[in-house]
Amino acid sequence: SQQGEEDPQALSIQEGENATMNCSYKTSINNLQWYRQNSGRGLVHLILIRSNEREKHSGRLRVTLDTSKKSSSLLITASRAADTASYFCATDAITQGGSEKLVFGKGTKLTVNP
Amino acid sequence: DGGITQSPKYLFRKEGQNVTLSCEQNLNHDAMYWYRQDPGQGLRLIYYSQIVNDFQKGDIAEGYSVSREKKESFPLTVTSAQKNPTAFYLCASGYRGGNEQFFGPGTRLTVL
């Protein structure tokens, strides 16, 4: 089952605007990650935030984590047309065999119009 | 260059055929993963391997098989038992512990 659920499913903005995507999850986590996927390509890791962190920055990216609400947000500031992609959150989980794995949400499709 | 590669990029299969998707990494990662992605959906875990000669079923393993004879390689076979195999398949690798995963470019499989 998919633990992370992104919101909105699709987002269309103008270049220069900020884009905010949200992720909700169901069970306790050790960390939460955000990935980006350009159409027809593999995923690229953007940022990881640990359960004891509340906010993290990387360039134009800002991620927040609220473990009491089981939610995270990804903010992309001053968006560019090249930011057009799908964005996925992923949470860590334990498999039936006791190994760690990632569980991905369905993603937010971001379109940045020039 | 270090990285993770998948081949072929596009694959067409007739019903009833088995096909094997290749995944190779030179990042010295112990863990490797196979995911399936359907249109508008997230990634679903098919199989994973934490170490050579060992692998575990993921959430949707039925109709698939894997092997892990070398650290660098984790091929996925889509068997005729997989009833709806048309999808985008992604391979990933990483260090053991559930942290960052590195993804290959994907293989798009179409059943004719």
Side-chain angles (χ1 to χ4, degrees), chain A residues 1-2 31 33 35 37 39-45 48 50 88 92 95-107, chain B residues 9 33 35 37 40-45 48 50 56-59 88 90 96-106 108:
Chain A
S1 63
Q2 292 176 309
N31 61 66
Q33 303 178 46
Y35 287 80
Q37 183 182 34
S39 181
R41 307 290 293 273
L43 277 69
V44 175
H45 181 262
L48 180 151
R50 303 200 182 278
F88 295 88
D92 61 307
T95 68
Q96 290 184 349
S99 300
E100 293 190 15
K101 66 173 184 178
L102 293 181
V103 179
F104 288 83
K106 293 183 179 181
Chain B
K9 187 172 183 178
Y33 309 84
Y35 295 92
Q37 186 178 31
Q41 300 294 313
L43 279 64
R44 292 185 289 169
L45 183 64
Y48 63 98
Q50 298 283 330
Q56 305 293 330
K57 292 182 179 180
D59 300 316
F88 190 51
L90 287 160
R96 296 175 67 177
N99 292 321
E100 178 183 357
Q101 292 183 12
F102 296 78
F103 283 81
R108 188 167 299 281

Side-chain angles (χ1 to χ4, degrees), chain B residues 31-102:
Chain B
M32 296 187 74
Y33 309 84
W34 274 105
Y35 295 92
R36 170 182 173 139
Q37 186 178 31
D38 293 283
Q41 300 294 313
L43 279 64
R44 292 185 289 169
L45 183 64
I46 304 172
Y47 267 97
Y48 63 98
S49 169
Q50 298 283 330
I51 198 167
V52 175
N53 292 323
D54 185 56
F55 50 83
Q56 305 293 330
K57 292 182 179 180
D59 300 316
I60 56 165
E62 186 175 350
Y64 300 97
S65 66
V66 293
S67 63
R68 187 85 187 277
E69 297 176 1
K70 298 187 301 181
K71 187 175 185 178
E72 301 79 15
S73 179
F74 192 41
L76 173 75
T77 296
V78 184
T79 75
S80 57
Q82 171 48 239
K83 297 306 179 188
N84 186 22
T86 294
F88 190 51
Y89 290 87
L90 287 160
C91 180
S93 69
Y95 296 107
R96 296 175 67 177
N99 292 321
E100 178 183 357
Q101 292 183 12
F102 296 78

